[in-house]
Amino acid sequence: MTKVTEAKGVDLHKMRVVVAGGGLVGLTAGIAFERLGATVTVCEQAPAIRAAGASIGLWKNATDVLNELNLSEQLLQLGTPIETWFYDAAGHRFRAEGFGVDDHAFVLYPRPQLNTLLAQALGQVTIKLQTKVIGFDEQADEVTILLENGTQLKADLLIGADGIYSKVRNQLLPAYSAQEHTGHHVWRALVPTGDEPADGSVLTVGHQQTRGGYFLTYGQVTTWMVNQFDSEAPRGTKKEEALKRAAQMNDAGWGEPLLRLIERTPEERILHNQVMYVPALPRWVSGRVALLGDAAHGLSPHISAGGTLGIEDVGILIKALLAKPSLSEALLAYQGNRIPHYETVRRLSRTVELAQDALNYARAYATFSHWMLNEGYQESGNLR
């Protein structure tokens, strides 16, 4: 992301920007535009800034963007550095040969505290709670944003950062609604740290396409996750279903710490999701509208890169606006960077999904992370 002091392109000073969605990506976009002098309104449909999910891992692609927004000190206090290892169901530890420590490193953040940090950096006056964007009317000189409460907002630019069920995307591209990643279910939770081994991270590949593990994170809290591809439809409670799948990663009793984590998690704190995804889009922008984050490219979470990719989008959009002389040229440059980038993301993600054992999973994951941190990182600096 180009530093805000280097602005030479579109004059963002006092530009009216409306951001649909007050999640991780929407808040980051709001901060970035506000730091450049734009008049920003972030519309969040919930009654408070909150986060669905337990924890989120961010790679350098994202933390560089956040650090350039002067958030490095706060992030340092909140993040837990993680070095990833992979295990099979019997507890044998793997890392793919030919890859370094950097290819297995990221920083883990608790989602609620991270979103609170971003909201505080943006300022509550900028955020409109219980305000849902349901559509827009685009004209040559401005865009009218339609709200669920019947009122309207006027803007020069509308950012669709409203997630996988994006109303902005649904209007921009009506044929590209979110789809089920058939048979892919995930269970997860945050719980106080107990007696689980302090190994830093445990990611296990089990039988019947199960995967899962746990991480020690901020504030003496542990986050655990279990997922399964080609799963039968869940019929029991969330805890029962999570335990059933965790048992597939427990040959000879090795996975007991994960089972104990799940057993002591209150039912109401367990999150279960049928995983959804956004199909590849033919375009991400129009004259005064741009999609960011899951609204543009919601992926299966098995590569744990969605947050990083969404924040990276913010950095590329800002860079395009600072490099191009007009809004339309900047949006097209942003789109021209992102669409081919995500062709590679999807291809490498699919390889991770198809890995049938721990060794191949470790190799596919390291291949993806190495690309993200190297070739993918460099690609994100190139605008057409």
Side-chain angles (χ1 to χ4, degrees):
M1 178 176 169
T2 303
K3 291 183 180 180
V4 298
T5 55
E6 299 174 357
K8 297 178 181 178
V10 177
D11 183 6
L12 297 177
H13 187 67
K14 299 305 180 183
M15 174 183 276
R16 300 167 299 167
V17 178
V18 170
V19 180
L24 176 64
V25 175
L27 292 171
T28 303
I31 296 168
F33 276 100
E34 195 168 74
R35 299 277 166 91
L36 288 165
T39 301
V40 177
T41 303
V42 173
C43 298
E44 168 54 42
Q45 63 178 324
I49 293 297
R50 58 193 184 194
S55 293
I56 187 166
L58 296 181
W59 302 349
K60 174 181 171 62
N61 311 56
T63 55
D64 278 0
V65 174
L66 295 172
N67 288 340
E68 288 190 7
L69 296 175
N70 299 320
L71 297 173
S72 55
E73 289 188 15
Q74 300 96 310
L75 291 171
L76 188 62
Q77 296 174 10
L78 197 60
T80 302
I82 297 292
E83 290 188 9
T84 304
W85 289 92
F86 303 91
Y87 297 77
D88 64 14
H92 300 125
R93 190 164 84 160
F94 295 94
R95 268 186 183 166
E97 294 183 3
F99 295 91
V101 173
D102 289 348
D103 300 318
H104 297 88
F106 60 92
V107 182
L108 193 68
Y109 297 91
R111 280 180 178 266
Q113 288 89 341
L114 180 58
N115 275 19
T116 297
L117 184 160
L118 295 173
Q120 290 173 345
L122 183 57
Q124 292 299 325
V125 69
T126 304
I127 303 169
K128 288 185 175 292
L129 298 173
Q130 295 182 289
T131 304
K132 183 177 182 179
V133 173
I134 61 171
F136 59 89
D137 181 15
E138 188 174 353
Q139 299 95 35
D141 59 345
E142 66 180 2
V143 57
T144 301
I145 293 88
L146 312 176
L147 305 178
E148 190 175 49
N149 62 15
T151 62
Q152 301 178 352
L153 297 172
K154 301 286 186 179
D156 301 299
L157 175 62
L158 169 62
I159 300 297
D162 47 344
I164 201 162
Y165 298 107
S166 170
K167 294 292 186 181
V168 178
R169 185 192 67 245
N170 286 349
Q171 179 171 338
L172 191 66
L173 295 159
Y176 289 85
S177 297
Q179 301 177 9
E180 284 191 4
H181 191 190
T182 306
H184 187 191
H185 294 263
V186 61
W187 293 261
R188 51 194 167 152
L190 275 171
V191 293
T193 299
D195 61 354
E196 54 272 11
D199 292 333
S201 71
V202 174
L203 287 174
T204 308
V205 177
H207 308 292
Q208 298 183 24
Q209 298 193 70
T210 55
R211 298 174 188 177
Y214 58 87
F215 302 89
L216 308 183
T217 186
Y218 169 84
Q220 294 299 304
V221 170
T222 296
T223 181
W224 63 260
M225 180 274 292
V226 173
N227 73 300
Q228 184 178 25
F229 296 97
D230 295 330
S231 169
E232 62 181 17
R235 294 181 176 83
T237 67
K238 289 181 289 186
K239 182 177 292 191
E240 289 169 346
E241 295 293 338
L243 287 169
K244 183 195 307 183
R245 287 154 180 83
Q248 299 290 340
M249 299 177 278
N250 188 33
D251 290 2
W254 176 82
E256 289 298 322
L258 177 58
L259 288 165
R260 290 198 300 270
L261 272 170
I262 298 170
E263 286 170 347
R264 65 182 175 83
T265 304
E267 179 76 20
E268 65 273 11
R269 295 184 64 177
I270 299 176
L271 300 173
H272 164 251
N273 295 100
Q274 156 66 61
V275 174
M276 306 291 291
Y277 73 96
V278 174
L281 305 180
R283 63 188 180 111
W284 287 27
V285 305
S286 61
R288 293 186 174 275
V289 179
L291 301 175
L292 277 75
D294 282 349
H297 52 72
L299 298 170
S300 163
H302 65 273
I303 53 171
S304 302
T308 292
L309 290 163
I311 293 174
E312 186 181 67
D313 293 343
V314 176
I316 300 306
L317 177 59
I318 294 297
K319 179 175 181 179
L321 288 162
L322 297 179
K324 300 298 181 179
S326 70
L327 178 60
S328 60
E329 289 176 278
L331 294 184
L332 289 174
Y334 163 72
Q335 175 179 273
N337 178 284
R338 296 286 81 189
I339 286 181
H341 187 79
Y342 279 91
E343 290 175 359
T344 304
V345 169
R346 286 186 175 86
R347 176 174 57 80
L348 294 176
S349 171
R350 179 66 172 163
T351 303
V352 177
E353 178 183 337
L354 294 176
Q356 295 295 311
D357 56 50
L359 187 59
N360 285 320
Y361 178 54
R363 185 181 299 114
Y365 181 90
T367 299
F368 179 88
S369 62
H370 184 84
W371 174 82
M372 275 282 289
L373 294 167
N374 293 277
E375 294 94 333
Y377 187 86
Q378 293 167 10
E379 282 179 10
S380 295
N382 298 326
L383 295 174
R384 298 177 182 179

